Amino acid sequence: MNIFRTIIYISIIYFLLVNLTYIALNLVAFLALKKEKIKFEVTDLQKTFQSEFYKPLSIIVPAYNEEKTITESIQAMLSLTYPEFEIVVVNDGSKDDTLKRLREKFNLVPSNRTNKADLTTAKIRGVYDSLDYPNLVVVDKENGGKADSLNAGINYAHFPLVCNIDADSLIESDALLRLVEPFVEDKRVVAAGGSIRIANDCVVEEGKVTRVKLPGSWLARLQIVEYLRAFLFGRVGWAALEGLMIISGAFGIFRKSHLIAAGGYSRDTIGEDMELVLKLNRKLKEQGRDYRTVFLPDPVCWTQVPETIKTLGRQRRRWQQGLGQSLMMNKELLFNRDYGVVGLLAYPFFFFGEFIGPVIEFFGYISLFIVLFFGWASLELVLTFLTVSILLRIVLSTLSILFEQLTFRKYENLRDNGKLLLTAFLEGFGYQQLHMIWRLQGLYDFLKGKNIWGEQQRKEF
Amino acid sequence: MLTIIRAIIIVLLTVQIGLMAALILYIIRAKRAERRSKELEARWQPLLYEYLEDEVDIKTMEIELAENYNSMWNFFRPYLDNLIGSDREKIEKLLQEIGFIAHFRQQLNSENRSKRIRAAFVLGKVRDSVSLPQLEEMLQSDSTYEIIIAGQAITDIGATELVFEIMAAFLQRTNITFEGISQIIINYGEEICPPLITILTDWLAGRVDLEEKFQVPAYQSAALFVELLGHSRYQEALPVFEKILQQRENEELLIQVLKALSRLKEPVQIDLKPFLTHENRVIRNQTLKYLYKCCQPGYEEQIVGLLADENWWVSFYAAMLLYHNGRQNILTEIAGSAEQGAAMSSYILEAGGQFEHF
């Protein structure tokens, strides 16, 4: 009895701490979003676009078996609004016709471009320029994974800022201008991340999302609610507290010099995006540098998410495993006040809340069943507790949907928002528990050192 | 325990209902505002064209626009962003007469920072010189963003007498980059160049202490001024640039001057050999780039020597300079020999001198 009671108490304390953090993050995020909204209003993007003082940018696009979407994605990227940029596509030894499609579409010829940084990568098979687009370069290399491809892209990039974008993503036309703005406004900024939104079932014309629609698939809708929570209060909140620990691998900008100094993306983890931000935080703090990593909710990158349980499950397992690897590779941050908010708050939150969270949640559920079975607690008490837990999640999700409305209003009509609310309500009944199981599997994979590589079946936009 | 949890449920349910109501209300209001804004735009647009054609007077416009300042701002912003000349002046006059500018002047004194920032931005766009004292005061704010927007508004208005005050505020009280400062200061247009030349001349003559004035090392502010002059391609800056090159006191400043000279594309009356043989590779590079843009006789020997430079980029630029200035024969000769620089010469010849970003 005692042991189960202890587990339940631990679960309750854990539950309270995690949710209090979420509530605090919401408050901070609300204030930050208000500030961001006024900034959004008074930014003169037209002038910025015409400016010669803007920092040129290298966009690195790793591509592995992306034959279905690659040409359309690159075409869309080439029409982005930005004064001076180049696109470095890295074909990571694709087994399909990714390179062939690129060659045919963009008229590729061998390039004279040389490796400018010394990040170690798999063997480079060839570098190509496009005869039609002078700002497009394709690096063809042997397969080495996403981090390896990003490092290869950094090696061949010309410009001081590098932006990593997934090949299957669509960037809103002025998103780059907005995301580079912090690098101009504040010399301390070393990295900036933007929001990821879900493009499933959206209307896409010439590589641009022209009409935002809610996907028909419930699984995709559930992910919309998750993404809104993660980006609109998770990342906005942590960034406002100077504790940002992750910039999405699908859309982020970095100062190249810092990336190279940090040794580039780590090839030993499948969570290379998080590991990089942690490593940057660690190294820059150790050097005693005054620096900032920022997150902007508005520059948006649209991406497709899995629509089958199997693919989503594999993705979440990978994410959990990547989270564990990134945290372990930077474990000196834990409760280390030398690393500021990252060490004292963000890292412990990710460690206890996100990484080992599913274990506590799992034992919490088991204990509830046991105490019920033996009659140590009444059914009413257990059900009321579960109700609180589900209600809290619904409130947090509703807050994110409200934040979205108060700020950038991608989902405009009442009907879509109604559907999102319903999705938020249903999340607690089955999906949340399924998610916990995937995360547990990811944790198991991490402990076993088993690498689960995921390939998502892409649909053409 | 059960009672506490039940109370929590009631609180959460209340919050949830409140949030849902707020969400629904907000969506309905936002939709309505959007519809109204479209209606206003459809009504105001033909009226504005009539006003610009002098077919409608200010009084009629005032009645029609009816103190709807926020909608007005959304409506007029694209015109203020894109129009110049008499049409723009007419719009500014209209906004003055109908109380729009007075409204935002009042907002500039608001306790609410967001309102102040928005007002400063709007007043800059309408070039309201009356609000200059308040904008100048805003430069002393403790908020970085307020300082930046105030500086931007002053440059939009065109008050060149405040340029150094803006720069001092930016350099001392914000973390804005030099590119960011340049981007804002360049709003002034060419009018800003004479004061920049004056301050640089005074600094070179020892009459002004830039370090004391801007609280950053003197070369940093001087380099910023040089960059702005270069950006404006201001020919009258040439003597000042020559003087800085002659003094050769700071390498960063020399680099900025050479970059500015590349934009000016004007020959200088001083010997560039010391820069072609300078120990700093960036200076050697920038000198080669300048000579590439503005070819001058008398440096061929040094340029050929740089083909064998220890720095790959210097050697690359030297070869490119020779290639694109009709001296391909030199490269062909060296490429076929055992001399240092043969590899680079072959490399450039094989590529036909075609490289991106050069």
Side-chain angles (χ1 to χ4, degrees):
Chain A
M1 164 72 181
N2 278 343
I3 185 160
F4 292 111
R5 185 171 280 176
T6 313
I7 289 173
I8 289 179
Y9 282 142
I10 291 173
S11 303
I12 291 173
I13 292 167
Y14 166 83
F15 171 83
L16 281 174
L17 279 176
V18 169
N19 284 294
L20 281 173
T21 314
Y22 281 139
I23 291 165
L25 276 177
N26 259 293
L27 291 173
V28 176
F30 178 70
L31 297 173
L33 284 170
K34 259 181 78 181
K35 213 167 146 185
E36 205 52 54
K37 200 182 173 194
I38 184 77
K39 255 181 155 179
F40 181 85
E41 206 183 321
V42 300
T43 302
D44 211 335
L45 281 185
Q46 198 185 5
K47 205 176 268 179
T48 306
F49 178 55
Q50 292 158 353
S51 165
E52 283 181 37
F53 297 108
Y54 240 58
K55 290 178 187 296
L57 179 76
S58 299
I59 299 174
I60 299 172
V61 189
Y64 179 67
N65 293 349
E66 303 278 358
E67 63 174 13
K68 279 190 182 159
T69 53
I70 190 77
T71 54
E72 199 176 357
S73 298
I74 301 300
Q75 195 80 56
M77 285 177 204
L78 283 163
S79 63
L80 285 169
T81 308
Y82 197 79
E84 190 180 5
F85 70 97
E86 62 171 4
I87 296 175
V88 184
V89 182
V90 185
N91 177 43
D92 188 29
S94 297
K95 291 177 199 144
D96 65 0
D97 282 340
T98 303
L99 186 64
K100 192 178 161 207
R101 292 269 181 114
L102 287 166
R103 253 196 203 129
E104 284 165 3
K105 175 79 183 175
F106 300 109
N107 209 354
L108 299 182
V109 291
S111 167
N112 294 315
R113 191 178 279 233
T114 48
N115 184 337
K116 292 191 184 57
D118 285 324
L119 300 176
T120 314
T121 67
K123 194 180 166 203
I124 304 294
R125 298 195 287 218
V127 183
Y128 304 92
D129 284 328
S130 161
L131 287 177
D132 300 335
Y133 299 91
N135 58 338
L136 174 65
V137 182
V138 174
V139 178
D140 181 34
K141 61 181 270 292
E142 286 177 2
N143 184 264
K146 189 175 174 188
D148 193 72
S149 306
L150 288 166
N151 287 342
I154 295 166
N155 280 343
Y156 284 91
H158 267 308
F159 295 135
L161 293 180
V162 290
C163 174
N164 51 314
I165 295 177
D166 280 354
D168 60 321
S169 301
L170 301 170
I171 307 290
E172 285 194 347
S173 68
D174 60 2
L176 288 179
L177 281 173
R178 292 204 180 274
L179 204 53
V180 170
E181 192 84 14
F183 289 91
V184 179
E185 266 174 30
D186 192 337
K187 57 188 170 229
R188 298 169 302 169
V189 173
V190 294
S195 286
I196 311 290
R197 294 291 180 96
I198 291 169
N200 299 41
D201 291 358
C202 286
V203 180
V204 177
E205 287 165 343
E206 292 174 0
K208 287 191 177 73
V209 175
T210 50
R211 204 172 135 221
V212 180
K213 279 172 72 183
L214 267 191
S217 147
W218 276 99
L219 208 54
R221 279 189 207 167
L222 284 161
Q223 290 171 81
I224 289 183
V225 175
E226 280 185 309
Y227 275 48
L228 287 180
R229 270 202 316 264
F231 286 97
L232 286 185
F233 80 75
R235 295 202 192 163
V236 171
W238 282 120
L241 291 170
E242 306 274 329
L244 189 66
M245 293 225 317
I246 182 161
I247 285 176
S248 171
F251 187 37
I253 296 184
F254 297 86
R255 275 192 207 278
K256 191 169 78 176
S257 53
H258 290 293
L259 278 186
I260 295 169
Y265 285 89
S266 168
R267 300 189 299 166
D268 306 326
T269 167
I270 49 177
E272 71 287 329
D273 46 2
M274 183 180 198
E275 201 283 325
L276 177 72
V277 180
L278 282 172
K279 187 161 62 180
L280 277 175
N281 271 304
R282 192 162 50 81
K283 299 219 169 195
L284 291 167
K285 281 275 183 204
E286 279 163 11
Q287 289 162 14
R289 286 186 76 120
D290 187 13
Y291 71 96
R292 284 186 68 206
T293 49
V294 297
F295 176 78
L296 301 176
D298 171 56
V300 166
C301 168
W302 296 90
T303 192
Q304 292 187 61
V305 294
E307 286 189 0
T308 64
I309 296 270
K310 194 180 161 200
T311 330
L312 181 63
R314 284 177 75 85
Q315 183 197 58
R316 296 308 161 94
R317 272 174 82 168
R318 264 196 346 268
W319 285 6
Q320 189 69 12
Q321 193 185 356
L323 169 70
Q325 289 169 337
S326 307
L327 291 173
M328 287 309 131
M329 285 166 84
N330 296 278
K331 52 184 175 298
E332 48 275 68
L333 290 167
L334 184 64
F335 290 127
N336 191 333
R337 66 175 177 185
D338 291 344
Y339 298 103
V341 176
V342 171
L344 287 177
L345 285 176
Y347 190 105
F349 177 80
F350 274 85
F351 186 82
F352 295 108
E354 303 286 342
F355 182 53
I356 61 166
V359 179
I360 298 172
E361 201 178 329
F362 177 73
F363 281 111
Y365 281 125
I366 298 285
S367 305
L368 282 179
F369 283 118
I370 290 172
V371 291
L372 258 184
F373 185 78
F374 288 105
W376 293 331
S378 69
L379 178 66
E380 194 185 3
L381 182 69
V382 170
L383 287 179
T384 11
F385 183 72
L386 278 176
T387 311
V388 170
S389 138
I390 290 167
L391 255 178
L392 248 172
R393 190 172 269 252
I394 295 172
V395 167
L396 291 171
S397 300
T398 311
L399 264 171
S400 314
I401 299 167
L402 183 64
F403 283 0
E404 210 278 323
Q405 277 305 311
L406 294 174
T407 51
F408 308 112
R409 301 191 63 224
K410 302 286 179 199
Y411 303 103
E412 284 180 344
N413 61 50
L414 211 48
R415 201 172 158 183
D416 281 352
N417 282 280
K419 284 180 186 169
L420 283 178
L421 280 177
L422 182 63
T423 313
F425 177 76
L426 294 175
E427 195 189 3
F429 304 97
Y431 180 74
Q432 192 184 332
Q433 292 72 22
L434 200 57
H435 195 214
M436 176 196 72
I437 294 169
W438 292 331
R439 288 162 75 199
L440 280 173
Q441 287 175 326
L443 232 151
Y444 175 78
D445 296 336
F446 164 75
L447 292 171
K448 282 276 173 192
K450 188 166 122 189
N451 275 341
I452 300 285
W453 295 100
E455 275 179 56
Q456 189 181 325
Q457 288 300 311
R458 305 283 182 215
K459 286 195 292 188
E460 284 184 54
F461 280 117
Chain B
M1 179 83 155
L2 199 59
T3 321
I4 297 171
I5 301 177
R6 276 189 192 140
I8 294 173
I9 289 177
I10 291 167
V11 171
L12 285 174
L13 274 174
T14 316
V15 171
Q16 177 64 17
I17 291 165
L19 286 175
M20 281 165 64
L23 182 67
I24 292 165
L25 274 178
Y26 187 83
I27 293 169
I28 292 170
R29 277 185 58 186
K31 279 265 170 206
R32 202 180 291 161
E34 206 178 284
R35 215 171 30 239
R36 171 128 179 89
S37 157
K38 277 187 185 149
E39 282 168 12
L40 286 175
E41 198 185 324
R43 226 170 63 211
W44 288 351
Q45 205 169 40
L47 203 68
L48 177 69
Y49 293 152
E50 286 175 30
Y51 165 74
L52 292 175
E53 291 295 321
D54 292 325
E55 289 165 11
V56 166
D57 63 1
I58 286 185
K59 233 10 201 183
T60 317
M61 291 296 285
E62 192 176 356
I63 295 165
E64 189 58 39
L65 296 169
E67 293 184 15
N68 197 341
Y69 300 122
N70 285 331
S71 301
M72 254 194 254
W73 167 237
N74 294 334
F75 174 71
F76 281 108
R77 184 172 173 179
Y79 297 100
L80 291 166
D81 278 341
N82 297 303
L83 284 181
I84 48 166
S86 63
D87 280 351
R88 189 195 164 94
E89 280 164 18
K90 269 185 175 173
I91 291 178
E92 284 173 6
K93 190 178 171 211
L94 170 70
L95 296 175
Q96 175 76 49
E97 297 284 322
I98 62 176
F100 175 91
I101 293 178
H103 168 78
F104 281 101
R105 270 186 213 146
Q106 216 170 16
Q107 298 253 303
L108 207 53
N109 295 319
S110 165
E111 288 292 308
N112 182 320
R113 180 167 282 160
S114 297
K115 280 187 181 169
R116 283 202 304 272
I117 289 177
R118 191 161 183 259
F121 183 75
V122 174
L123 292 166
K125 286 280 175 199
V126 296
R127 299 188 297 199
D128 178 45
S129 54
V130 176
S131 54
L132 276 172
Q134 281 152 293
L135 291 171
E136 194 182 343
E137 211 173 291
M138 262 175 101
L139 290 174
Q140 306 308 316
S141 162
D142 55 356
S143 146
T144 296
Y145 205 57
E146 213 171 330
I147 296 171
I148 292 175
I149 293 295
Q152 194 177 306
I154 294 170
T155 60
D156 280 335
I157 294 167
T160 50
E161 68 279 11
L162 293 177
V163 63
F164 298 122
E165 206 169 319
I166 295 173
M167 285 190 181
F170 283 176
L171 289 169
Q172 291 164 30
R173 319 191 48 233
T174 74
N175 283 300
I176 189 168
T177 58
F178 282 97
E179 291 99 324
I181 298 176
S182 303
Q183 196 174 304
I184 291 170
I185 299 298
I186 214 69
N187 276 348
Y188 276 123
E190 226 183 70
E191 289 80 64
I192 202 58
C193 296
L196 295 181
I197 290 184
T198 308
I199 198 167
L200 277 173
T201 313
D202 287 349
W203 173 60
L204 289 166
R207 290 190 292 269
V208 166
D209 184 346
L210 289 181
E211 194 157 342
E212 195 190 320
K213 198 171 170 75
F214 298 107
Q215 303 291 308
V216 291
Y219 80 87
Q220 285 187 6
S221 44
L224 178 61
F225 304 151
V226 168
E227 188 185 14
L228 288 163
L229 290 165
H231 181 84
S232 304
R233 294 173 175 82
Y234 199 67
Q235 306 290 333
E236 285 81 348
L238 207 58
V240 180
F241 290 168
E242 285 176 343
K243 200 157 185 196
I244 295 173
L245 287 178
Q246 276 163 347
Q247 288 194 351
R248 271 184 265 157
E249 273 179 10
N250 181 281
E251 292 181 2
E252 287 299 318
L253 189 52
L254 287 179
I255 291 166
Q256 278 306 330
V257 169
L258 289 162
K259 279 186 181 173
L261 283 172
S262 295
R263 284 171 180 272
L264 251 60
K265 295 181 188 166
E266 283 291 317
V268 286
Q269 303 303 316
I270 59 163
D271 183 14
L272 292 173
K273 284 180 196 129
F275 305 106
L276 284 169
T277 53
H278 200 282
E279 59 179 14
N280 184 328
R281 68 173 174 84
V282 185
I283 291 180
R284 297 201 296 278
N285 246 337
Q286 289 300 333
T287 314
L288 286 168
K289 277 189 171 179
Y290 165 57
L291 289 172
Y292 172 72
K293 294 266 170 77
C294 177
C295 190
Q296 291 171 53
Y299 299 114
E300 196 169 287
E301 193 187 322
Q302 283 74 27
I303 296 167
V304 172
L306 288 175
L307 282 174
D309 196 279
E310 57 179 16
N311 183 274
W312 191 91
W313 285 104
V314 174
S315 131
F316 173 79
Y317 285 120
M320 286 290 278
L321 175 52
L322 290 170
Y323 186 94
H324 288 281
N325 281 292
R327 306 302 286 159
Q328 291 168 17
N329 58 324
I330 297 179
L331 294 179
T332 314
E333 199 181 304
I334 295 175
S337 71
E339 278 181 55
Q340 275 187 314
M344 182 55 78
S345 303
S346 310
Y347 180 59
I348 300 293
L349 286 168
E350 273 167 31
Q354 294 306 307
F355 292 94
E356 224 187 307
H357 306 301
F358 182 71

